[in-house]
Amino acid sequence: MFTTLTGFLHASPDDLLETLQPTLLGAICEFDQIPDERKALLAEVSNSLRARKRCETAKLTFICTHNSRRSHITHLWAQTAATYFGIPDLETYSGGTEATACNIRTIDAIRRAGFSVVNPTPGEPNPRYLIQYSKKHAPLTAFSKVYDAEGNPGKGFIAIMTCSHADKNCPIVRGAEKRFPIPYLDPKASDGSQYEAHTYDARSRQIAREMLYLMSIAK
């Protein structure tokens, strides 16, 4: 069952996977770890979400260079957070300034966080993963693609730049209504080291608490 935390509206216990509950509730309890300058950035995005017209679907596209790590993690946690806080008419997407593949270390990290992951395209150079976060919602699909690829919104969306390289080298995001830089350190720096899993888990946890904070104030 979900623990009740004063001041927050929660999804019903049946909405999100039970395996996600420990990570999600733990991240909510860590809102005080978010620096004030980050809270200010997240509040800007929240204001844009609240300003949308009634019954208008808000679309967030999370962008990093290769669409292999940070943009996928933010995409997943943002949609999970929106569902948890009962925010209707919000859709999340991810993309890159170029396409490569969703890194398997990203997939391993989100599995450890409690998401359910199925790979229906094993052996493909750019595999597609079906990622379940809820019993009542369709799984999200994760694979590497450019931010304006077919299936992503082409206009009227809010672009969130999740890495400083993409932010610097993509100053104009075609079709974006608004653009916000909310960069995260790349966990790739730990690849192949003894700290690899710890680094990916720490980045996922940071993203989880910030996306949950964003949706909590957007609510």
Side-chain angles (χ1 to χ4, degrees), residues 17 19-20 23 73 75-80 107 109-117 130-134 140 204 208:
L17 298 182
T19 50
L20 272 172
T23 303
I73 298 172
H75 166 206
L76 294 169
W77 274 117
Q79 191 66 62
T80 301
I107 298 302
I110 62 175
R111 277 196 176 111
R112 289 192 296 268
F115 292 92
S116 176
V117 183
L130 299 179
I131 302 173
Q132 194 84 40
Y133 66 98
S134 166
L140 302 174
S204 175

mmCIF file with all atom_site columns, all heavy atoms in Angstrom, residues 17 19-20 23 73 75-80 107 109-117 130-134 140 204 208:
data_model
loop_
_atom_site.group_PDB
_atom_site.id
_atom_site.type_symbol
_atom_site.label_atom_id
_atom_site.label_alt_id
_atom_site.label_comp_id
_atom_site.label_asym_id
_atom_site.label_entity_id
_atom_site.label_seq_id
_atom_site.pdbx_PDB_ins_code
_atom_site.Cartn_x
_atom_site.Cartn_y
_atom_site.Cartn_z
_atom_site.occupancy
_atom_site.B_iso_or_equiv
_atom_site.pdbx_formal_charge
_atom_site.auth_seq_id
_atom_site.auth_comp_id
_atom_site.auth_asym_id
_atom_site.auth_atom_id
_atom_site.pdbx_PDB_model_num
ATOM 1   N N   . LEU A 1 17  ? 3.076  0.169  -10.205 1.00 0.00 ? 17  LEU A N   1
ATOM 2   C CA  . LEU A 1 17  ? 3.602  -1.136 -9.815  1.00 0.00 ? 17  LEU A CA  1
ATOM 3   C C   . LEU A 1 17  ? 4.080  -1.116 -8.363  1.00 0.00 ? 17  LEU A C   1
ATOM 4   O O   . LEU A 1 17  ? 4.721  -0.163 -7.923  1.00 0.00 ? 17  LEU A O   1
ATOM 5   C CB  . LEU A 1 17  ? 4.762  -1.531 -10.731 1.00 0.00 ? 17  LEU A CB  1
ATOM 6   C CG  . LEU A 1 17  ? 4.458  -1.697 -12.224 1.00 0.00 ? 17  LEU A CG  1
ATOM 7   C CD1 . LEU A 1 17  ? 5.722  -2.141 -12.953 1.00 0.00 ? 17  LEU A CD1 1
ATOM 8   C CD2 . LEU A 1 17  ? 3.331  -2.689 -12.459 1.00 0.00 ? 17  LEU A CD2 1
ATOM 9   N N   . THR A 1 19  ? 6.454  -2.716 -7.165  1.00 0.00 ? 19  THR A N   1
ATOM 10  C CA  . THR A 1 19  ? 7.915  -2.725 -7.134  1.00 0.00 ? 19  THR A CA  1
ATOM 11  C C   . THR A 1 19  ? 8.511  -1.326 -7.199  1.00 0.00 ? 19  THR A C   1
ATOM 12  O O   . THR A 1 19  ? 9.662  -1.112 -6.816  1.00 0.00 ? 19  THR A O   1
ATOM 13  C CB  . THR A 1 19  ? 8.460  -3.557 -8.318  1.00 0.00 ? 19  THR A CB  1
ATOM 14  O OG1 . THR A 1 19  ? 7.829  -3.115 -9.538  1.00 0.00 ? 19  THR A OG1 1
ATOM 15  C CG2 . THR A 1 19  ? 8.188  -5.030 -8.108  1.00 0.00 ? 19  THR A CG2 1
ATOM 16  N N   . LEU A 1 20  ? 7.720  -0.339 -7.680  1.00 0.00 ? 20  LEU A N   1
ATOM 17  C CA  . LEU A 1 20  ? 8.188  1.046  -7.759  1.00 0.00 ? 20  LEU A CA  1
ATOM 18  C C   . LEU A 1 20  ? 7.994  1.810  -6.457  1.00 0.00 ? 20  LEU A C   1
ATOM 19  O O   . LEU A 1 20  ? 8.621  2.851  -6.247  1.00 0.00 ? 20  LEU A O   1
ATOM 20  C CB  . LEU A 1 20  ? 7.438  1.791  -8.871  1.00 0.00 ? 20  LEU A CB  1
ATOM 21  C CG  . LEU A 1 20  ? 7.996  1.732  -10.282 1.00 0.00 ? 20  LEU A CG  1
ATOM 22  C CD1 . LEU A 1 20  ? 7.015  2.371  -11.254 1.00 0.00 ? 20  LEU A CD1 1
ATOM 23  C CD2 . LEU A 1 20  ? 9.341  2.424  -10.364 1.00 0.00 ? 20  LEU A CD2 1
ATOM 24  N N   . THR A 1 23  ? 11.105 2.995  -4.117  1.00 0.00 ? 23  THR A N   1
ATOM 25  C CA  . THR A 1 23  ? 11.929 4.036  -4.726  1.00 0.00 ? 23  THR A CA  1
ATOM 26  C C   . THR A 1 23  ? 11.170 5.360  -4.788  1.00 0.00 ? 23  THR A C   1
ATOM 27  O O   . THR A 1 23  ? 11.702 6.422  -4.460  1.00 0.00 ? 23  THR A O   1
ATOM 28  C CB  . THR A 1 23  ? 12.358 3.629  -6.147  1.00 0.00 ? 23  THR A CB  1
ATOM 29  O OG1 . THR A 1 23  ? 13.044 2.374  -6.091  1.00 0.00 ? 23  THR A OG1 1
ATOM 30  C CG2 . THR A 1 23  ? 13.297 4.671  -6.752  1.00 0.00 ? 23  THR A CG2 1
ATOM 31  N N   . ILE A 1 73  ? 15.658 8.206  -18.738 1.00 0.00 ? 73  ILE A N   1
ATOM 32  C CA  . ILE A 1 73  ? 15.339 8.125  -17.306 1.00 0.00 ? 73  ILE A CA  1
ATOM 33  C C   . ILE A 1 73  ? 14.386 9.246  -16.904 1.00 0.00 ? 73  ILE A C   1
ATOM 34  O O   . ILE A 1 73  ? 13.428 9.028  -16.147 1.00 0.00 ? 73  ILE A O   1
ATOM 35  C CB  . ILE A 1 73  ? 16.629 8.155  -16.467 1.00 0.00 ? 73  ILE A CB  1
ATOM 36  C CG1 . ILE A 1 73  ? 17.508 6.937  -16.802 1.00 0.00 ? 73  ILE A CG1 1
ATOM 37  C CG2 . ILE A 1 73  ? 16.294 8.137  -14.972 1.00 0.00 ? 73  ILE A CG2 1
ATOM 38  C CD1 . ILE A 1 73  ? 18.894 6.973  -16.166 1.00 0.00 ? 73  ILE A CD1 1
ATOM 39  N N   . HIS A 1 75  ? 12.289 10.896 -18.888 1.00 0.00 ? 75  HIS A N   1
ATOM 40  C CA  . HIS A 1 75  ? 11.018 10.591 -19.551 1.00 0.00 ? 75  HIS A CA  1
ATOM 41  C C   . HIS A 1 75  ? 10.187 9.641  -18.691 1.00 0.00 ? 75  HIS A C   1
ATOM 42  O O   . HIS A 1 75  ? 9.003  9.886  -18.417 1.00 0.00 ? 75  HIS A O   1
ATOM 43  C CB  . HIS A 1 75  ? 11.325 9.986  -20.928 1.00 0.00 ? 75  HIS A CB  1
ATOM 44  C CG  . HIS A 1 75  ? 10.185 9.312  -21.607 1.00 0.00 ? 75  HIS A CG  1
ATOM 45  N ND1 . HIS A 1 75  ? 10.387 8.304  -22.532 1.00 0.00 ? 75  HIS A ND1 1
ATOM 46  C CD2 . HIS A 1 75  ? 8.851  9.463  -21.505 1.00 0.00 ? 75  HIS A CD2 1
ATOM 47  C CE1 . HIS A 1 75  ? 9.207  7.885  -22.978 1.00 0.00 ? 75  HIS A CE1 1
ATOM 48  N NE2 . HIS A 1 75  ? 8.259  8.569  -22.376 1.00 0.00 ? 75  HIS A NE2 1
ATOM 49  N N   . LEU A 1 76  ? 10.801 8.549  -18.240 1.00 0.00 ? 76  LEU A N   1
ATOM 50  C CA  . LEU A 1 76  ? 10.090 7.531  -17.473 1.00 0.00 ? 76  LEU A CA  1
ATOM 51  C C   . LEU A 1 76  ? 9.621  8.057  -16.118 1.00 0.00 ? 76  LEU A C   1
ATOM 52  O O   . LEU A 1 76  ? 8.467  7.858  -15.718 1.00 0.00 ? 76  LEU A O   1
ATOM 53  C CB  . LEU A 1 76  ? 10.992 6.316  -17.271 1.00 0.00 ? 76  LEU A CB  1
ATOM 54  C CG  . LEU A 1 76  ? 11.359 5.541  -18.541 1.00 0.00 ? 76  LEU A CG  1
ATOM 55  C CD1 . LEU A 1 76  ? 12.456 4.541  -18.233 1.00 0.00 ? 76  LEU A CD1 1
ATOM 56  C CD2 . LEU A 1 76  ? 10.126 4.838  -19.105 1.00 0.00 ? 76  LEU A CD2 1
ATOM 57  N N   . TRP A 1 77  ? 10.522 8.750  -15.408 1.00 0.00 ? 77  TRP A N   1
ATOM 58  C CA  . TRP A 1 77  ? 10.160 9.221  -14.080 1.00 0.00 ? 77  TRP A CA  1
ATOM 59  C C   . TRP A 1 77  ? 9.141  10.360 -14.142 1.00 0.00 ? 77  TRP A C   1
ATOM 60  O O   . TRP A 1 77  ? 8.280  10.494 -13.274 1.00 0.00 ? 77  TRP A O   1
ATOM 61  C CB  . TRP A 1 77  ? 11.394 9.647  -13.297 1.00 0.00 ? 77  TRP A CB  1
ATOM 62  C CG  . TRP A 1 77  ? 12.053 8.506  -12.597 1.00 0.00 ? 77  TRP A CG  1
ATOM 63  C CD1 . TRP A 1 77  ? 13.313 8.002  -12.802 1.00 0.00 ? 77  TRP A CD1 1
ATOM 64  C CD2 . TRP A 1 77  ? 11.484 7.697  -11.555 1.00 0.00 ? 77  TRP A CD2 1
ATOM 65  N NE1 . TRP A 1 77  ? 13.561 6.940  -11.971 1.00 0.00 ? 77  TRP A NE1 1
ATOM 66  C CE2 . TRP A 1 77  ? 12.449 6.728  -11.192 1.00 0.00 ? 77  TRP A CE2 1
ATOM 67  C CE3 . TRP A 1 77  ? 10.256 7.685  -10.904 1.00 0.00 ? 77  TRP A CE3 1
ATOM 68  C CZ2 . TRP A 1 77  ? 12.226 5.774  -10.200 1.00 0.00 ? 77  TRP A CZ2 1
ATOM 69  C CZ3 . TRP A 1 77  ? 10.019 6.732  -9.922  1.00 0.00 ? 77  TRP A CZ3 1
ATOM 70  C CH2 . TRP A 1 77  ? 10.994 5.796  -9.582  1.00 0.00 ? 77  TRP A CH2 1
ATOM 71  N N   . ALA A 1 78  ? 9.213  11.189 -15.182 1.00 0.00 ? 78  ALA A N   1
ATOM 72  C CA  . ALA A 1 78  ? 8.237  12.273 -15.312 1.00 0.00 ? 78  ALA A CA  1
ATOM 73  C C   . ALA A 1 78  ? 6.830  11.724 -15.537 1.00 0.00 ? 78  ALA A C   1
ATOM 74  O O   . ALA A 1 78  ? 5.864  12.193 -14.931 1.00 0.00 ? 78  ALA A O   1
ATOM 75  C CB  . ALA A 1 78  ? 8.632  13.210 -16.445 1.00 0.00 ? 78  ALA A CB  1
ATOM 76  N N   . GLN A 1 79  ? 6.701  10.709 -16.400 1.00 0.00 ? 79  GLN A N   1
ATOM 77  C CA  . GLN A 1 79  ? 5.378  10.132 -16.640 1.00 0.00 ? 79  GLN A CA  1
ATOM 78  C C   . GLN A 1 79  ? 4.871  9.412  -15.398 1.00 0.00 ? 79  GLN A C   1
ATOM 79  O O   . GLN A 1 79  ? 3.681  9.504  -15.045 1.00 0.00 ? 79  GLN A O   1
ATOM 80  C CB  . GLN A 1 79  ? 5.425  9.161  -17.821 1.00 0.00 ? 79  GLN A CB  1
ATOM 81  C CG  . GLN A 1 79  ? 4.055  8.726  -18.316 1.00 0.00 ? 79  GLN A CG  1
ATOM 82  C CD  . GLN A 1 79  ? 3.281  9.887  -18.929 1.00 0.00 ? 79  GLN A CD  1
ATOM 83  O OE1 . GLN A 1 79  ? 3.692  10.474 -19.918 1.00 0.00 ? 79  GLN A OE1 1
ATOM 84  N NE2 . GLN A 1 79  ? 2.143  10.228 -18.338 1.00 0.00 ? 79  GLN A NE2 1
ATOM 85  N N   . THR A 1 80  ? 5.763  8.716  -14.711 1.00 0.00 ? 80  THR A N   1
ATOM 86  C CA  . THR A 1 80  ? 5.388  8.037  -13.472 1.00 0.00 ? 80  THR A CA  1
ATOM 87  C C   . THR A 1 80  ? 4.927  9.049  -12.427 1.00 0.00 ? 80  THR A C   1
ATOM 88  O O   . THR A 1 80  ? 3.916  8.846  -11.740 1.00 0.00 ? 80  THR A O   1
ATOM 89  C CB  . THR A 1 80  ? 6.587  7.230  -12.929 1.00 0.00 ? 80  THR A CB  1
ATOM 90  O OG1 . THR A 1 80  ? 6.996  6.262  -13.911 1.00 0.00 ? 80  THR A OG1 1
ATOM 91  C CG2 . THR A 1 80  ? 6.225  6.503  -11.644 1.00 0.00 ? 80  THR A CG2 1
ATOM 92  N N   . ILE A 1 107 ? 18.809 0.592  -18.851 1.00 0.00 ? 107 ILE A N   1
ATOM 93  C CA  . ILE A 1 107 ? 17.752 -0.394 -18.644 1.00 0.00 ? 107 ILE A CA  1
ATOM 94  C C   . ILE A 1 107 ? 17.952 -1.127 -17.321 1.00 0.00 ? 107 ILE A C   1
ATOM 95  O O   . ILE A 1 107 ? 17.001 -1.342 -16.558 1.00 0.00 ? 107 ILE A O   1
ATOM 96  C CB  . ILE A 1 107 ? 17.722 -1.387 -19.818 1.00 0.00 ? 107 ILE A CB  1
ATOM 97  C CG1 . ILE A 1 107 ? 17.402 -0.644 -21.133 1.00 0.00 ? 107 ILE A CG1 1
ATOM 98  C CG2 . ILE A 1 107 ? 16.716 -2.502 -19.559 1.00 0.00 ? 107 ILE A CG2 1
ATOM 99  C CD1 . ILE A 1 107 ? 16.103 0.114  -21.124 1.00 0.00 ? 107 ILE A CD1 1
ATOM 100 N N   . ALA A 1 109 ? 19.402 -0.023 -14.673 1.00 0.00 ? 109 ALA A N   1
ATOM 101 C CA  . ALA A 1 109 ? 19.126 0.902  -13.565 1.00 0.00 ? 109 ALA A CA  1
ATOM 102 C C   . ALA A 1 109 ? 17.626 1.063  -13.331 1.00 0.00 ? 109 ALA A C   1
ATOM 103 O O   . ALA A 1 109 ? 17.166 1.089  -12.179 1.00 0.00 ? 109 ALA A O   1
ATOM 104 C CB  . ALA A 1 109 ? 19.775 2.254  -13.828 1.00 0.00 ? 109 ALA A CB  1
ATOM 105 N N   . ILE A 1 110 ? 16.858 1.185  -14.401 1.00 0.00 ? 110 ILE A N   1
ATOM 106 C CA  . ILE A 1 110 ? 15.423 1.381  -14.205 1.00 0.00 ? 110 ILE A CA  1
ATOM 107 C C   . ILE A 1 110 ? 14.764 0.093  -13.720 1.00 0.00 ? 110 ILE A C   1
ATOM 108 O O   . ILE A 1 110 ? 13.762 0.146  -12.987 1.00 0.00 ? 110 ILE A O   1
ATOM 109 C CB  . ILE A 1 110 ? 14.737 1.951  -15.464 1.00 0.00 ? 110 ILE A CB  1
ATOM 110 C CG1 . ILE A 1 110 ? 14.846 1.010  -16.642 1.00 0.00 ? 110 ILE A CG1 1
ATOM 111 C CG2 . ILE A 1 110 ? 15.310 3.311  -15.808 1.00 0.00 ? 110 ILE A CG2 1
ATOM 112 C CD1 . ILE A 1 110 ? 14.075 1.478  -17.857 1.00 0.00 ? 110 ILE A CD1 1
ATOM 113 N N   . ARG A 1 111 ? 15.317 -1.051 -14.104 1.00 0.00 ? 111 ARG A N   1
ATOM 114 C CA  . ARG A 1 111 ? 14.823 -2.309 -13.524 1.00 0.00 ? 111 ARG A CA  1
ATOM 115 C C   . ARG A 1 111 ? 15.065 -2.330 -12.020 1.00 0.00 ? 111 ARG A C   1
ATOM 116 O O   . ARG A 1 111 ? 14.179 -2.705 -11.249 1.00 0.00 ? 111 ARG A O   1
ATOM 117 C CB  . ARG A 1 111 ? 15.527 -3.503 -14.176 1.00 0.00 ? 111 ARG A CB  1
ATOM 118 C CG  . ARG A 1 111 ? 14.943 -3.948 -15.502 1.00 0.00 ? 111 ARG A CG  1
ATOM 119 C CD  . ARG A 1 111 ? 15.445 -5.335 -15.868 1.00 0.00 ? 111 ARG A CD  1
ATOM 120 N NE  . ARG A 1 111 ? 14.833 -5.843 -17.081 1.00 0.00 ? 111 ARG A NE  1
ATOM 121 C CZ  . ARG A 1 111 ? 15.472 -6.010 -18.230 1.00 0.00 ? 111 ARG A CZ  1
ATOM 122 N NH1 . ARG A 1 111 ? 16.766 -5.697 -18.326 1.00 0.00 ? 111 ARG A NH1 1
ATOM 123 N NH2 . ARG A 1 111 ? 14.851 -6.491 -19.286 1.00 0.00 ? 111 ARG A NH2 1
ATOM 124 N N   . ARG A 1 112 ? 16.261 -1.930 -11.608 1.00 0.00 ? 112 ARG A N   1
ATOM 125 C CA  . ARG A 1 112 ? 16.571 -1.927 -10.172 1.00 0.00 ? 112 ARG A CA  1
ATOM 126 C C   . ARG A 1 112 ? 15.672 -0.940 -9.418  1.00 0.00 ? 112 ARG A C   1
ATOM 127 O O   . ARG A 1 112 ? 15.386 -1.125 -8.235  1.00 0.00 ? 112 ARG A O   1
ATOM 128 C CB  . ARG A 1 112 ? 18.042 -1.581 -9.947  1.00 0.00 ? 112 ARG A CB  1
ATOM 129 C CG  . ARG A 1 112 ? 19.009 -2.679 -10.367 1.00 0.00 ? 112 ARG A CG  1
ATOM 130 C CD  . ARG A 1 112 ? 20.421 -2.418 -9.857  1.00 0.00 ? 112 ARG A CD  1
ATOM 131 N NE  . ARG A 1 112 ? 21.020 -1.228 -10.421 1.00 0.00 ? 112 ARG A NE  1
ATOM 132 C CZ  . ARG A 1 112 ? 21.776 -1.210 -11.525 1.00 0.00 ? 112 ARG A CZ  1
ATOM 133 N NH1 . ARG A 1 112 ? 22.007 -2.333 -12.199 1.00 0.00 ? 112 ARG A NH1 1
ATOM 134 N NH2 . ARG A 1 112 ? 22.311 -0.086 -11.966 1.00 0.00 ? 112 ARG A NH2 1
ATOM 135 N N   . ALA A 1 113 ? 15.234 0.117  -10.098 1.00 0.00 ? 113 ALA A N   1
ATOM 136 C CA  . ALA A 1 113 ? 14.344 1.098  -9.468  1.00 0.00 ? 113 ALA A CA  1
ATOM 137 C C   . ALA A 1 113 ? 12.927 0.567  -9.287  1.00 0.00 ? 113 ALA A C   1
ATOM 138 O O   . ALA A 1 113 ? 12.163 1.119  -8.504  1.00 0.00 ? 113 ALA A O   1
ATOM 139 C CB  . ALA A 1 113 ? 14.311 2.381  -10.287 1.00 0.00 ? 113 ALA A CB  1
ATOM 140 N N   . GLY A 1 114 ? 12.570 -0.490 -10.023 1.00 0.00 ? 114 GLY A N   1
ATOM 141 C CA  . GLY A 1 114 ? 11.254 -1.089 -9.865  1.00 0.00 ? 114 GLY A CA  1
ATOM 142 C C   . GLY A 1 114 ? 10.382 -1.124 -11.101 1.00 0.00 ? 114 GLY A C   1
ATOM 143 O O   . GLY A 1 114 ? 9.262  -1.642 -11.057 1.00 0.00 ? 114 GLY A O   1
ATOM 144 N N   . PHE A 1 115 ? 10.861 -0.571 -12.217 1.00 0.00 ? 115 PHE A N   1
ATOM 145 C CA  . PHE A 1 115 ? 10.110 -0.654 -13.470 1.00 0.00 ? 115 PHE A CA  1
ATOM 146 C C   . PHE A 1 115 ? 10.172 -2.081 -14.009 1.00 0.00 ? 115 PHE A C   1
ATOM 147 O O   . PHE A 1 115 ? 11.151 -2.800 -13.785 1.00 0.00 ? 115 PHE A O   1
ATOM 148 C CB  . PHE A 1 115 ? 10.687 0.300  -14.518 1.00 0.00 ? 115 PHE A CB  1
ATOM 149 C CG  . PHE A 1 115 ? 10.507 1.758  -14.211 1.00 0.00 ? 115 PHE A CG  1
ATOM 150 C CD1 . PHE A 1 115 ? 11.486 2.465  -13.526 1.00 0.00 ? 115 PHE A CD1 1
ATOM 151 C CD2 . PHE A 1 115 ? 9.364  2.432  -14.603 1.00 0.00 ? 115 PHE A CD2 1
ATOM 152 C CE1 . PHE A 1 115 ? 11.337 3.814  -13.240 1.00 0.00 ? 115 PHE A CE1 1
ATOM 153 C CE2 . PHE A 1 115 ? 9.195  3.782  -14.332 1.00 0.00 ? 115 PHE A CE2 1
ATOM 154 C CZ  . PHE A 1 115 ? 10.181 4.465  -13.646 1.00 0.00 ? 115 PHE A CZ  1
ATOM 155 N N   . SER A 1 116 ? 9.147  -2.476 -14.745 1.00 0.00 ? 116 SER A N   1
ATOM 156 C CA  . SER A 1 116 ? 9.146  -3.761 -15.429 1.00 0.00 ? 116 SER A CA  1
ATOM 157 C C   . SER A 1 116 ? 9.534  -3.533 -16.890 1.00 0.00 ? 116 SER A C   1
ATOM 158 O O   . SER A 1 116 ? 8.958  -2.666 -17.556 1.00 0.00 ? 116 SER A O   1
ATOM 159 C CB  . SER A 1 116 ? 7.757  -4.402 -15.359 1.00 0.00 ? 116 SER A CB  1
ATOM 160 O OG  . SER A 1 116 ? 7.713  -5.604 -16.099 1.00 0.00 ? 116 SER A OG  1
ATOM 161 N N   . VAL A 1 117 ? 10.513 -4.286 -17.373 1.00 0.00 ? 117 VAL A N   1
ATOM 162 C CA  . VAL A 1 117 ? 11.047 -4.051 -18.715 1.00 0.00 ? 117 VAL A CA  1
ATOM 163 C C   . VAL A 1 117 ? 11.009 -5.331 -19.543 1.00 0.00 ? 117 VAL A C   1
ATOM 164 O O   . VAL A 1 117 ? 11.418 -6.398 -19.087 1.00 0.00 ? 117 VAL A O   1
ATOM 165 C CB  . VAL A 1 117 ? 12.507 -3.539 -18.661 1.00 0.00 ? 117 VAL A CB  1
ATOM 166 C CG1 . VAL A 1 117 ? 13.018 -3.223 -20.068 1.00 0.00 ? 117 VAL A CG1 1
ATOM 167 C CG2 . VAL A 1 117 ? 12.617 -2.320 -17.761 1.00 0.00 ? 117 VAL A CG2 1
ATOM 168 N N   . LEU A 1 130 ? 9.899  -2.191 -23.855 1.00 0.00 ? 130 LEU A N   1
ATOM 169 C CA  . LEU A 1 130 ? 8.581  -1.834 -23.346 1.00 0.00 ? 130 LEU A CA  1
ATOM 170 C C   . LEU A 1 130 ? 8.702  -1.745 -21.824 1.00 0.00 ? 130 LEU A C   1
ATOM 171 O O   . LEU A 1 130 ? 9.026  -2.730 -21.159 1.00 0.00 ? 130 LEU A O   1
ATOM 172 C CB  . LEU A 1 130 ? 7.542  -2.876 -23.746 1.00 0.00 ? 130 LEU A CB  1
ATOM 173 C CG  . LEU A 1 130 ? 7.338  -3.074 -25.245 1.00 0.00 ? 130 LEU A CG  1
ATOM 174 C CD1 . LEU A 1 130 ? 6.294  -4.153 -25.505 1.00 0.00 ? 130 LEU A CD1 1
ATOM 175 C CD2 . LEU A 1 130 ? 6.948  -1.762 -25.922 1.00 0.00 ? 130 LEU A CD2 1
ATOM 176 N N   . ILE A 1 131 ? 8.420  -0.562 -21.286 1.00 0.00 ? 131 ILE A N   1
ATOM 177 C CA  . ILE A 1 131 ? 8.667  -0.300 -19.876 1.00 0.00 ? 131 ILE A CA  1
ATOM 178 C C   . ILE A 1 131 ? 7.345  -0.012 -19.174 1.00 0.00 ? 131 ILE A C   1
ATOM 179 O O   . ILE A 1 131 ? 6.659  0.968  -19.477 1.00 0.00 ? 131 ILE A O   1
ATOM 180 C CB  . ILE A 1 131 ? 9.650  0.863  -19.711 1.00 0.00 ? 131 ILE A CB  1
ATOM 181 C CG1 . ILE A 1 131 ? 10.948 0.522  -20.442 1.00 0.00 ? 131 ILE A CG1 1
ATOM 182 C CG2 . ILE A 1 131 ? 9.918  1.146  -18.237 1.00 0.00 ? 131 ILE A CG2 1
ATOM 183 C CD1 . ILE A 1 131 ? 11.946 1.633  -20.500 1.00 0.00 ? 131 ILE A CD1 1
ATOM 184 N N   . GLN A 1 132 ? 7.012  -0.867 -18.229 1.00 0.00 ? 132 GLN A N   1
ATOM 185 C CA  . GLN A 1 132 ? 5.751  -0.764 -17.509 1.00 0.00 ? 132 GLN A CA  1
ATOM 186 C C   . GLN A 1 132 ? 5.985  -0.082 -16.169 1.00 0.00 ? 132 GLN A C   1
ATOM 187 O O   . GLN A 1 132 ? 6.886  -0.442 -15.413 1.00 0.00 ? 132 GLN A O   1
ATOM 188 C CB  . GLN A 1 132 ? 5.172  -2.166 -17.273 1.00 0.00 ? 132 GLN A CB  1
ATOM 189 C CG  . GLN A 1 132 ? 3.715  -2.171 -16.848 1.00 0.00 ? 132 GLN A CG  1
ATOM 190 C CD  . GLN A 1 132 ? 2.764  -2.093 -18.043 1.00 0.00 ? 132 GLN A CD  1
ATOM 191 O OE1 . GLN A 1 132 ? 3.001  -2.722 -19.065 1.00 0.00 ? 132 GLN A OE1 1
ATOM 192 N NE2 . GLN A 1 132 ? 1.702  -1.318 -17.911 1.00 0.00 ? 132 GLN A NE2 1
ATOM 193 N N   . TYR A 1 133 ? 5.158  0.933  -15.887 1.00 0.00 ? 133 TYR A N   1
ATOM 194 C CA  . TYR A 1 133 ? 5.230  1.620  -14.602 1.00 0.00 ? 133 TYR A CA  1
ATOM 195 C C   . TYR A 1 133 ? 3.903  1.539  -13.856 1.00 0.00 ? 133 TYR A C   1
ATOM 196 O O   . TYR A 1 133 ? 3.824  1.856  -12.670 1.00 0.00 ? 133 TYR A O   1
ATOM 197 C CB  . TYR A 1 133 ? 5.606  3.090  -14.797 1.00 0.00 ? 133 TYR A CB  1
ATOM 198 C CG  . TYR A 1 133 ? 4.570  3.911  -15.527 1.00 0.00 ? 133 TYR A CG  1
ATOM 199 C CD1 . TYR A 1 133 ? 3.667  4.706  -14.833 1.00 0.00 ? 133 TYR A CD1 1
ATOM 200 C CD2 . TYR A 1 133 ? 4.474  3.876  -16.916 1.00 0.00 ? 133 TYR A CD2 1
ATOM 201 C CE1 . TYR A 1 133 ? 2.703  5.452  -15.498 1.00 0.00 ? 133 TYR A CE1 1
ATOM 202 C CE2 . TYR A 1 133 ? 3.509  4.611  -17.592 1.00 0.00 ? 133 TYR A CE2 1
ATOM 203 C CZ  . TYR A 1 133 ? 2.631  5.394  -16.886 1.00 0.00 ? 133 TYR A CZ  1
ATOM 204 O OH  . TYR A 1 133 ? 1.671  6.117  -17.542 1.00 0.00 ? 133 TYR A OH  1
ATOM 205 N N   . SER A 1 134 ? 2.870  1.105  -14.557 1.00 0.00 ? 134 SER A N   1
ATOM 206 C CA  . SER A 1 134 ? 1.524  1.106  -14.005 1.00 0.00 ? 134 SER A CA  1
ATOM 207 C C   . SER A 1 134 ? 0.749  -0.108 -14.485 1.00 0.00 ? 134 SER A C   1
ATOM 208 O O   . SER A 1 134 ? 0.968  -0.593 -15.608 1.00 0.00 ? 134 SER A O   1
ATOM 209 C CB  . SER A 1 134 ? 0.792  2.381  -14.445 1.00 0.00 ? 134 SER A CB  1
ATOM 210 O OG  . SER A 1 134 ? -0.592 2.293  -14.209 1.00 0.00 ? 134 SER A OG  1
ATOM 211 N N   . LEU A 1 140 ? 5.508  2.333  -21.724 1.00 0.00 ? 140 LEU A N   1
ATOM 212 C CA  . LEU A 1 140 ? 6.228  3.306  -22.527 1.00 0.00 ? 140 LEU A CA  1
ATOM 213 C C   . LEU A 1 140 ? 7.286  2.570  -23.348 1.00 0.00 ? 140 LEU A C   1
ATOM 214 O O   . LEU A 1 140 ? 7.828  1.555  -22.911 1.00 0.00 ? 140 LEU A O   1
ATOM 215 C CB  . LEU A 1 140 ? 6.898  4.347  -21.621 1.00 0.00 ? 140 LEU A CB  1
ATOM 216 C CG  . LEU A 1 140 ? 5.954  5.125  -20.699 1.00 0.00 ? 140 LEU A CG  1
ATOM 217 C CD1 . LEU A 1 140 ? 6.756  6.015  -19.748 1.00 0.00 ? 140 LEU A CD1 1
ATOM 218 C CD2 . LEU A 1 140 ? 4.973  5.956  -21.509 1.00 0.00 ? 140 LEU A CD2 1
ATOM 219 N N   . SER A 1 204 ? 19.482 7.964  -11.340 1.00 0.00 ? 204 SER A N   1
ATOM 220 C CA  . SER A 1 204 ? 18.059 7.665  -11.438 1.00 0.00 ? 204 SER A CA  1
ATOM 221 C C   . SER A 1 204 ? 17.316 8.193  -10.221 1.00 0.00 ? 204 SER A C   1
ATOM 222 O O   . SER A 1 204 ? 16.223 8.762  -10.349 1.00 0.00 ? 204 SER A O   1
ATOM 223 C CB  . SER A 1 204 ? 17.847 6.146  -11.559 1.00 0.00 ? 204 SER A CB  1
ATOM 224 O OG  . SER A 1 204 ? 16.477 5.816  -11.542 1.00 0.00 ? 204 SER A OG  1
ATOM 225 N N   . ALA A 1 208 ? 14.433 10.936 -10.200 1.00 0.00 ? 208 ALA A N   1
ATOM 226 C CA  . ALA A 1 208 ? 13.135 10.579 -9.627  1.00 0.00 ? 208 ALA A CA  1
ATOM 227 C C   . ALA A 1 208 ? 12.641 11.655 -8.672  1.00 0.00 ? 208 ALA A C   1
ATOM 228 O O   . ALA A 1 208 ? 11.494 12.111 -8.771  1.00 0.00 ? 208 ALA A O   1
ATOM 229 C CB  . ALA A 1 208 ? 13.239 9.232  -8.900  1.00 0.00 ? 208 ALA A CB  1
#
